[in-house]
Amino acid sequence: MIDTYRHKGLRKKLAEIVAKKGIKDTNVLAAIETIPRHLFIPDNALHKYAYEDKPFPIGAGQTISQPYTVAFQTELLDLKPRDKVLEIGTGSGYQTAVLLEMGAKVFSIERQKALFDRTKELLPKLSYNTKLFYGDGYVGLPTFAPFDKVIVTAGAPYIPEDLLKQLKIGGILVIPVDEGDSQRMKKIIKLAENKFETEDLGLFRFVPLLKEKGRD
Ligand code: SAH
């Protein structure tokens, strides 16, 4: 769990790279500059690459998302301080940390036990205190709903109805949708109980959002 000046320098550069690719939200960029991404990557041999703008394996067949993608999705959430955010796909916890750095109150769900256990231990060590749940993201967290924002960090074959239901009026869902190996990034604003406005923000590649029946 070592963070050095070299790491700090590298993530300042990473924030610059992400800004050059088009991210404007200064709070998102500040979060990237602050968070020790290498500590979210379990394989120490990969730590020297941690500040490249790339995804990396985190075990259980999953990846920590590319920083640009994390920044892009986060910017789309249009976060306000104290927003209550539901995250589907905790994975390494890096996206969770970005949301927390930006002052959100985060509820995050992960369906792979090994990743859930590891991240539940890691985040408090880095002084990130939040609510993590081992469960199925398709059903969200009805007991904690409604949420100001919902972010899905795995490729969903369709938009889960429950996630739309658990959004406040005026709330935003950011979700990559499609069944193939690439997805369209959608930003969905809930205008009224059954009225939504959808914006398509282009092509991305995510690991798939897994169904409950494959649970380990
Ligand atoms: N936000 C993560 C990205 C991890 S990749 C990060 O920054 O590291 C997507 C994650 O979604 C994986 O950890 C995967 O196990 C998880 N996932 C897949 N299907 C899920 C489901 N139905 N419910 C909750 N999490 C799921």
Side-chain angles (χ1 to χ4, degrees):
M1 298 289 282
I2 299 166
D3 191 24
T4 64
Y5 280 106
R6 197 179 71 85
H7 290 124
K8 289 189 174 111
L10 288 172
R11 53 185 184 261
K12 194 172 165 62
K13 285 212 183 84
L14 175 60
E16 284 164 18
I17 290 167
V18 168
K20 272 205 195 93
K21 290 186 178 174
I23 302 301
K24 293 190 180 59
D25 187 329
T26 50
N27 294 325
V28 176
L29 297 171
I32 288 176
E33 207 175 312
T34 306
I35 300 168
R37 186 175 189 245
H38 63 288
L39 299 179
F40 292 78
I41 299 174
D43 182 353
N44 289 345
L46 293 173
H47 283 188
K48 55 178 175 292
Y49 309 114
Y51 297 99
E52 292 182 9
D53 190 21
K54 289 182 184 155
F56 290 103
I58 54 171
Q62 306 302 320
T63 55
I64 179 171
S65 300
Q66 180 182 348
Y68 171 72
T69 305
V70 171
F72 190 85
Q73 285 198 281
T74 309
E75 187 168 66
L76 289 177
L77 287 178
D78 195 11
L79 280 184
K80 306 282 180 288
R82 307 303 300 151
D83 262 0
K84 194 171 149 193
V85 180
L86 173 63
E87 178 193 27
I88 310 300
T90 316
S92 68
Y94 181 76
Q95 169 76 70
T96 319
V98 169
L99 297 167
L100 290 168
E101 280 289 343
M102 293 175 70
K105 193 168 179 340
V106 186
F107 298 74
S108 187
I109 311 178
E110 171 58 53
R111 73 166 286 290
Q112 306 243 34
K113 189 71 164 64
L115 294 176
F116 169 79
D117 287 343
R118 192 173 65 218
T119 302
K120 200 171 165 51
E121 206 182 298
L122 174 72
L123 287 177
K125 277 193 200 149
L126 299 173
S127 303
Y128 292 117
N129 294 305
T130 191
K131 292 207 186 321
L132 301 181
F133 299 83
Y134 171 49
D136 179 16
Y138 279 91
V139 298
L141 285 175
T143 34
F144 293 92
F147 298 96
D148 297 292
K149 312 283 159 70
V150 179
I151 176 171
V152 179
T153 70
Y158 57 88
I159 297 166
E161 191 65 35
D162 284 326
L163 299 185
L164 292 173
K165 270 201 205 114
Q166 291 169 33
L167 209 51
K168 284 185 192 169
I169 308 286
I172 297 172
L173 165 64
V174 172
I175 180 168
V177 191
D178 215 334
E179 300 205 50
D181 31 323
S182 60
Q183 295 82 25
R184 309 290 311 179
M185 188 69 76
K186 308 273 185 190
K187 171 177 174 171
I188 300 163
I189 304 175
K190 184 165 179 171
L191 301 174
E193 208 39 65
N194 283 308
K195 195 159 178 251
F196 299 91
E197 183 185 284
T198 303
E199 206 181 326
D200 184 316
L201 293 130
L203 215 53
F204 286 81
R205 291 175 78 90
F206 282 83
V207 293
L209 189 67
L210 308 163
K211 293 299 287 184
E212 177 74 2
K213 62 178 182 322
R215 191 162 175 164
D216 48 72

